[in-house]
Amino acid sequence: MIYSGFLGGSFLFALKRELGYTNTQEVERRTSMNRSALHKISYGLYIITSGQDGKFNGQIANSMFQVTSNPATVAISINKENYTHELIKLSRRFVVSILSEEAPMTFIGLFGFKSGRDVNKLQNVKTKTGQTKVPIVLDNTVSYLEVEVDKEMDCGTHTIFIGNIIDCDVVSDAVPMTYAYYQKVKGGKSPKTAPTYSKEEPSAAAAPQAAASYVCSVCGYVYDPVKGDPDNGIAAGTRFESLPDSWTCPVCGADKSKFEKEK
């Protein structure tokens, strides 16, 4: 299941339609559930690339899974607003690059919080071309899968693309990054176009602490002074107020003025 809870709103929308649920009260009853249960679903973190005729793009995704082994097939879920979605629809092919735990937040932010309509995400990234002729991202990659689309499913805000793996290989022996690791260790968040995105409710008041955490109002990244930002040379224990003015959000690149104290 790719990017950014496969069992989120888009999947439920399609499922209700497939099962013929038309009664409003019945739909409400079946969807009045504890959505925090969805947060227990395990995911990975991937870069999906696609395109043709010189037009290529990539995006971060977390909803990808293997469907069958013989033939080997996988499925991904992509938001219809994303440029990568447009390219998959046109080319009928995509590549999945499985990211390692060492992938820096700046790298994840490039593919997860910037639009390929505005920037060339692949310009300074190490890639190679395989069977699909789609760029395969090699930086911070554990392994990759080249896929030709066979079927697709309309899920409202997202499309699920199911395809046959025509080639794959291992790039390194690094540990693959899970979505839990991305959130808990890296402090990452889901963009609003991700199938796993859900608006966070204000948390209960926390006990006073020596140094407050600050949240990026653009992408939701949380700067935790206990952890610092080691990827960008900020040592653990550095207060937000002590960060240099040149410091920017490691995910989306927003400056310090876009951060707000965590409530």
Side-chain angles (χ1 to χ4, degrees), residues 72-128:
T73 61
V74 294
I76 62 174
S77 178
I78 303 293
N79 191 290
K80 292 179 180 178
E81 296 180 2
N82 293 355
Y83 184 38
T84 303
H85 183 281
E86 176 184 328
L87 296 178
I88 295 175
K89 292 281 285 187
L90 289 172
S91 68
R92 313 304 294 173
R93 63 193 66 174
F94 61 87
V95 173
V96 179
S97 292
I98 301 171
L99 294 182
S100 73
E101 289 184 349
E102 285 74 29
M105 291 298 283
T106 50
F107 185 78
I108 296 172
L110 171 64
F111 285 95
F113 290 90
K114 296 184 184 298
S115 172
R117 296 184 177 94
D118 302 323
V119 298
N120 181 356
K121 301 181 187 181
L122 300 169
Q123 186 173 14
N124 298 313
V125 175
K126 183 179 179 181
T127 64
K128 74 172 185 178

Side-chain angles (χ1 to χ4, degrees), residues 64-76 94 145-151 161-166:
M64 187 280 295
F65 69 101
Q66 185 172 346
V67 180
T68 60
S69 60
N70 188 19
T73 61
V74 294
I76 62 174
F94 61 87
L145 318 171
E146 293 193 81
V147 184
E148 289 185 344
V149 175
D150 180 52
K151 300 179 180 68
F161 295 101
I162 303 171
N164 299 305
I165 300 175
I166 62 171

Side-chain angles (χ1 to χ4, degrees), residues 236-258:
T238 303
R239 300 171 64 97
F240 181 82
E241 296 83 357
S242 300
L243 294 174
D245 292 337
S246 58
W247 182 85
T248 58
C249 175
V251 175
C252 69
D255 60 40
K256 287 179 64 177
S257 67
K258 301 296 183 182

Side-chain angles (χ1 to χ4, degrees), residues 45 96-103 137-145 169-177:
L45 207 65
V96 179
S97 292
I98 301 171
L99 294 182
S100 73
E101 289 184 349
E102 285 74 29
V137 174
L138 299 177
D139 286 341
N140 306 299
T141 294
V142 175
S143 63
Y144 66 83
L145 318 171
D169 201 0
V170 175
V171 177
S172 77
D173 293 326
V175 179
M177 186 185 302

Side-chain angles (χ1 to χ4, degrees), residues 19-94:
L19 296 178
Y21 296 146
T22 56
N23 183 279
T24 302
Q25 291 183 336
E26 177 69 6
V27 170
E28 289 178 351
R29 183 182 72 82
R30 291 176 179 268
T31 56
S32 294
M33 54 191 178
N34 182 2
R35 294 185 64 84
S36 62
L38 303 179
H39 302 164
K40 304 300 182 181
I41 300 173
S42 181
Y43 304 92
L45 207 65
Y46 318 95
I47 290 179
I48 308 301
T49 50
S50 186
Q52 63 181 6
D53 301 328
K55 294 183 179 180
F56 299 103
N57 188 52
Q59 69 161 76
I60 288 289
N62 72 345
S63 299
M64 187 280 295
F65 69 101
Q66 185 172 346
V67 180
T68 60
S69 60
N70 188 19
T73 61
V74 294
I76 62 174
S77 178
I78 303 293
N79 191 290
K80 292 179 180 178
E81 296 180 2
N82 293 355
Y83 184 38
T84 303
H85 183 281
E86 176 184 328
L87 296 178
I88 295 175
K89 292 281 285 187
L90 289 172
S91 68
R92 313 304 294 173
R93 63 193 66 174
F94 61 87

